[in-house]
């Protein structure tokens, strides 16, 4: 007679059963200590309060732009207009040369942004990779420029533009802004984080310095380039002091100088709060849109190098 013995499960089957049992078992939530949760809620509360502090003036500007002059004067901080009116926005396109200001600002900002990204990248790569006499002194000079208040350079800049015949021209408004010490510093620090070995293959193939920079290193610097692009566009869009000393003709007014003329009362009598704030609101929209589009691409300057 033969006795049937129970079959023993193989190790592979036991492991599979254990895995399926683990998957079917309900996952337990990790208990967060009360102190940690209290700290998180306190941090969120502080962040919300800080956000409200920064957002509230913009909300007041939007609300006041739909008010009448009398309502804006009597209730400047009210978020609900007594009578909603679009008169301020209508005046921007009828009584005020707002489209001209907007067009000048767009043209100058695009040229300055592209120029800064290109020239700051070139200078940063040269300071990071090229060996030449006085390289350290040049870099120290860039660092020293960062410590100088920009307002100190306005009068020398005005005199230089006068001597070169560039005053009151588009060239005089654009050329001095095509490169910044901060942009060179950002790109130089990023290029330092990229290993030199990534360029050796291109040099073995006979690529020159500029081709290596343009085809190998620059694509790896995308995080720094996007950051520099946003900062350059925002800086040139909101620039005021340089445009005051580099131009005089009303035809060369930008949004910042045009809104400043509204605030100073050069274009009419009265407070004109709705008109001024309507111009400020429309001026803020392009920069805000650009930031929200690229906010996820603003990374630390070392992340791209680690991926490369």
């Amino acid at each position: 007679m033969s006795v049937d013995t129970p079959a023993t499960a193989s190790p592979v089957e036991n492991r599979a059963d254990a895995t399926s049992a683990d998957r079917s078992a309900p996952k337990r939530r990790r208990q967060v200590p009360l102190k940690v949760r209290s700290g998180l809620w306190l941090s969120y509360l502080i962040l919300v309060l800080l956000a409200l502090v920064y957002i509230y003036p913009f909300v007041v500007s939007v609300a006041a732009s739909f008010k009448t002059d009398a309502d804006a004067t009597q209730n400047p901080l009210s978020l609900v207009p007594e009578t909603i009116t679009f008169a301020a926005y209508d005046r921007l396109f009828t009584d005020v040369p707002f489209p001209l200001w907007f067009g000048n600002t767009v043209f100058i900002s695009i040229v300055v942004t592209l120029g800064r990204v290109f020239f700051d990248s070139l200078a940063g790569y040269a300071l990071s990779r090229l060996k030449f006499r006085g390289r350290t002194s040049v870099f120290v000079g860039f660092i020293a420029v960062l410590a100088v208040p920009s307002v100190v350079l306005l009068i020398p800049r005005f005199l230089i533009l006068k001597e070169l015949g560039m005053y009151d021209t588009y060239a005089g408004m654009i050329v001095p802004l095509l490169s910044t010490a901060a942009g060179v510093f950002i790109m130089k620090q990023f290029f330092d984080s990229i290993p030199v070995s990534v360029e050796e293959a291109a040099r073995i193939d006979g690529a020159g310095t500029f081709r290596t920079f343009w085809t190998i290193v620059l694509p790896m610097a995308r995080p720094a380039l996007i950051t520099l692009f946003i900062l350059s566009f925002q800086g040139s869009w909101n620039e005021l002091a340089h445009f005051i000393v580099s131009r005089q003709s009303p035809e060369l007014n930008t949004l910042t100088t045009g809104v400043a003329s509204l605030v100073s009362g050069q274009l009419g009598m009265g407070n004109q709060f709705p008109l001024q704030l309507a111009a400020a609101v429309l001026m803020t929209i392009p920069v805000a849109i650009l930031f929200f589009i690229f906010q996820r691409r603003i990374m630390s300057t070392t992340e791209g190098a680690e991926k490369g």
Side-chain angles (χ1 to χ4, degrees):
M1 294 178 64
S2 60
V3 181
D4 295 336
T5 58
T8 57
S10 64
V12 177
E13 293 176 352
N14 292 334
R15 201 176 301 116
D17 293 340
T19 304
S20 61
D22 292 341
R23 290 178 179 176
S24 60
K27 294 184 179 179
R28 295 182 178 179
R29 289 188 176 182
R30 193 174 180 182
Q31 295 293 332
V32 180
L34 181 60
K35 291 184 178 180
V36 176
R37 283 184 292 174
S38 301
L40 289 175
W41 281 109
L42 181 61
S43 301
Y44 291 147
L45 179 61
I46 294 175
L47 291 176
V48 169
L49 292 177
L50 290 176
L52 291 176
V53 169
Y54 282 98
I55 293 175
Y56 182 71
F58 179 74
V59 177
V60 171
S61 301
V62 174
S65 66
F66 294 101
K67 297 179 180 179
T68 61
D69 289 347
D71 187 14
T73 303
Q74 295 174 1
N75 306 300
L77 300 182
S78 174
L79 299 182
V80 181
E82 291 184 0
T83 302
I84 298 178
T85 176
F86 294 89
Y89 292 94
D90 291 337
R91 290 186 58 195
L92 283 178
F93 294 93
T94 55
D95 301 340
V96 178
F98 186 84
L100 176 64
W101 301 348
F102 187 85
N104 289 338
T105 305
V106 170
F107 171 71
I108 294 173
S109 298
I110 291 176
V111 175
V112 169
T113 300
L114 296 178
R116 279 189 186 179
V117 172
F118 180 70
F119 291 115
D120 289 353
S121 301
L122 280 178
Y125 183 76
L127 292 173
S128 176
R129 291 292 193 265
L130 302 184
K131 308 295 183 181
F132 57 91
R133 183 177 299 178
R135 184 181 67 167
T136 303
S137 300
V138 173
F139 182 66
V140 172
F142 276 103
I143 300 299
V145 171
L146 291 176
V148 178
S150 58
V151 68
V152 176
L153 305 177
L154 290 180
I155 294 178
R157 187 179 298 178
F158 167 77
L159 296 176
I160 292 174
L161 292 176
K162 273 284 192 180
E163 289 295 325
L164 295 178
M166 298 171 62
Y167 178 73
D168 205 24
T169 62
Y170 283 110
M173 300 173 68
I174 292 174
V175 173
L177 301 179
L178 288 179
S179 181
T180 60
V184 174
F185 177 79
I186 291 174
M187 297 308 300
K188 195 262 184 190
Q189 295 300 108
F190 187 90
F191 289 139
D192 285 343
S193 66
I194 299 178
V196 183
S197 57
V198 301
E199 307 172 36
E200 294 177 355
R203 292 175 179 172
I204 292 175
D205 293 339
T209 302
F210 183 80
R211 183 181 175 186
T212 302
F213 158 77
W214 188 259
T215 60
I216 304 298
V217 181
L218 198 61
M220 298 178 62
R222 185 176 299 175
L225 290 175
I226 293 176
T227 302
L228 181 61
F229 177 87
I230 295 176
L231 294 178
S232 299
F233 185 84
Q234 182 182 16
S236 57
W237 187 274
N238 297 326
E239 180 63 42
L240 174 62
H242 170 67
F243 295 152
I244 290 177
V245 301
S246 62
R247 47 144 293 279
Q248 186 178 10
S249 301
E251 294 78 12
L252 297 179
N253 262 330
T254 60
L255 287 173
T256 52
T257 56
V259 173
S261 64
L262 288 177
V263 174
S264 62
Q266 296 181 13
L267 299 180
M269 301 298 293
N271 54 52
Q272 302 188 69
F273 289 153
L275 182 64
Q276 299 166 13
L277 294 177
V281 169
L282 293 180
M283 175 182 172
T284 307
I285 291 176
V287 178
I289 293 175
L290 182 72
F291 176 79
F292 283 117
I293 291 175
F294 291 102
Q295 63 175 338
R296 293 185 178 181
R297 294 181 175 269
I298 301 178
M299 308 173 186
S300 62
T301 55
T302 58
E303 185 176 349
E306 291 174 358
K307 289 182 179 179

